[in-house]
Amino acid sequence: MLMLFAPITLRSLTIPNRAWMAPMCQYSAATDGPEIGAPHDWHFAHLASRAVGGTGLILTEATAVSPEGRISPADLGLWNDRQQAAFTRITGFLSRHGTVPGIQLAHAGRKASADRPWRGGAPLGTAEGGWRPVAPSPIPFSDGYPAPEELPAGQIRRIVADFAAAAERALRAGFRVAEIHGAHGYLIGEFLSPHSNHRTDAYGGPFENRIRFALEVVDAVRAVWPEELPVFFRVSATDWLPDGQGWSVDDTVRLAKELHAHGVDLLDISSGGNAAEVKILTGPGYQVPFAARVRAEIDRPVAAVGQITDPHQAESILASGQADAVLLGRELLRNPYWPQQAARALGVRPRRPDQYLRAT
């Protein structure tokens, strides 16, 4: 069987194929009132269509574990019962149509309280519905961003508890995979990198201290997440900064070993997002070498992401052992039925719902 359409089992969960949907924020949740942070018809249609299209695992967009953890006021959250109940409609549909529902739990840190991207994405003040962001150190993300509040140790512990509480809600809502968002310059990634973490306490300085918050979050989530279900961790493999100035691929390999020792089952390898000034040269599969190196050095499952658009390209990544799954983002925005079309291109019978069998 072709690797792209071979099942993969993590703990006791079997995912039917290895064409997965990457988390992509929709910035479309209600911004006030009782429905704040809850998914609605847009999110249902967006995610359900990719399940009908044959995606093996769908990871929801970054879902905030607390109100101040949202990237924008229009982000999804999972800190109350109404949000939890709204997610069950989505997870039920995905599961009934053969797709594993996964959630990405997140805290935006110093990049929180921003406007929607199509309105410019600028930081929002309190008069505009925003709030003061928090971070490991009071260092703005870039020019025009406010200095975040430096987190005291007690508030760090509260955020760790928020991740655990959100994971418990995710389980009750029907999710089968919990992914912890440690990438793209959001709060966990800010703690990891010396570019954004200038603390001198137990959460800053040497590598062992900078990874402490990430491991505490993993431990808290793993403690409430069922033993038989997997936990993922998304990491930016590099800040794309010169050696010694930020997080590096060497750091990622070291962290990967620690994460697996703490119960993480798969690393989702992305890059960048923590240093606004860097210019990243992108291209087809440009982040795959990061996933390949981590997989080679720790011999544990990883997923690759980043301009993976062609079925033969995806199959080659998997067949060559560079990754165990591929995550598609923009390509699935352009084409919800990419997995079905990839199957046909590779000579495999696509998975279709009964209602669409006449299209085979």
Side-chain angles (χ1 to χ4, degrees):
M1 178 182 288
L2 293 171
M3 290 295 296
L4 187 60
F5 294 98
I8 180 172
T9 298
L10 300 167
R11 297 195 181 234
S12 66
L13 179 70
T14 298
I15 303 170
N17 64 42
R18 301 171 190 233
W20 300 350
M21 181 172 168
M24 290 176 285
C25 289
Q26 300 297 291
Y27 304 102
S28 296
T31 58
D32 54 24
E35 303 298 329
I36 185 171
H40 54 73
D41 285 350
W42 173 264
H43 304 91
F44 180 85
H46 168 62
L47 298 171
S49 62
R50 277 74 193 174
V52 171
T55 305
L57 166 71
I58 288 177
L59 290 166
T60 62
E61 63 192 78
T63 302
V65 299
S66 62
E68 65 275 10
R70 292 170 293 167
I71 302 167
S72 83
D75 278 19
L76 293 182
L78 192 49
W79 64 80
N80 66 37
D81 290 346
R82 191 180 293 266
Q83 295 159 348
Q84 176 185 309
F87 273 115
T88 61
R89 179 187 177 209
I90 293 171
T91 60
F93 184 93
L94 269 55
S95 297
R96 288 192 299 273
H97 289 273
T99 294
V100 173
I103 189 166
Q104 186 185 70
L105 301 175
H107 192 298
R110 66 178 181 170
K111 295 172 77 173
S113 188
D115 206 348
R116 306 176 203 225
W118 53 85
R119 289 167 37 170
L124 296 173
T126 55
E128 305 162 295
W131 56 94
R132 187 180 180 189
V134 296
S137 302
I139 304 168
F141 172 60
S142 69
D143 293 341
Y145 277 73
E149 177 186 354
E150 181 172 310
L151 283 165
Q155 197 168 348
I156 292 173
R157 289 192 293 271
R158 184 180 67 78
I159 294 173
V160 172
D162 288 340
F163 270 93
E168 290 182 296
R169 290 187 181 280
L171 183 65
R172 292 195 292 268
F175 288 101
R176 309 299 286 167
V177 171
E179 176 170 276
I180 297 165
H181 196 353
H184 301 160
Y186 298 121
L187 186 61
I188 294 176
E190 292 164 17
F191 271 91
L192 294 176
S193 174
H195 177 71
S196 46
N197 183 350
H198 293 185
R199 298 175 75 98
T200 57
D201 64 1
Y203 291 94
F207 175 87
E208 292 77 12
N209 284 0
R210 286 183 282 110
I211 69 170
R212 187 182 308 276
F213 177 58
L215 296 182
E216 288 179 349
V217 170
V218 168
D219 288 345
V221 170
R222 188 73 266 179
V224 301
W225 198 248
E227 181 68 23
E228 67 270 17
L229 294 178
V231 169
F232 293 4
F233 189 97
R234 174 164 260 199
V235 63
S236 282
T238 174
D239 284 339
W240 297 96
L241 288 167
D243 289 347
Q245 295 184 23
W247 186 257
S248 70
V249 184
D250 290 341
D251 293 327
T252 296
V253 172
R254 291 179 66 189
L255 175 65
K257 296 173 183 177
E258 295 289 339
L259 290 172
H260 282 298
H262 284 254
V264 168
D265 301 285
L266 179 142
L267 266 78
D268 170 0
I269 311 289
S270 188
S271 72
N274 195 39
E277 67 273 19
V278 301
K279 303 297 182 184
I280 301 173
L281 182 63
T282 63
Y286 72 102
Q287 296 176 143
V288 173
F290 302 140
R293 180 176 169 194
V294 173
R295 190 180 188 278
E297 295 205 25
I298 68 170
D299 193 27
R300 297 295 293 270
V302 304
V305 65
Q307 294 194 25
I308 299 171
T309 60
D310 179 80
H312 297 279
Q313 172 200 21
E315 176 62 23
S316 176
I317 291 167
L318 300 173
S320 61
Q322 296 179 83
D324 300 273
V326 293
L327 285 154
L328 289 87
R330 291 177 177 85
E331 187 63 18
L332 276 175
L333 293 183
R334 290 186 284 264
N335 181 4
Y337 298 95
W338 188 93
Q340 291 183 6
Q341 295 173 8
R344 295 184 71 88
L346 295 172
V348 176
R349 183 177 178 83
R351 173 167 63 88
R352 284 199 172 103
D354 291 345
Q355 296 90 332
Y356 287 6
L357 288 179
R358 73 189 73 181
T360 56

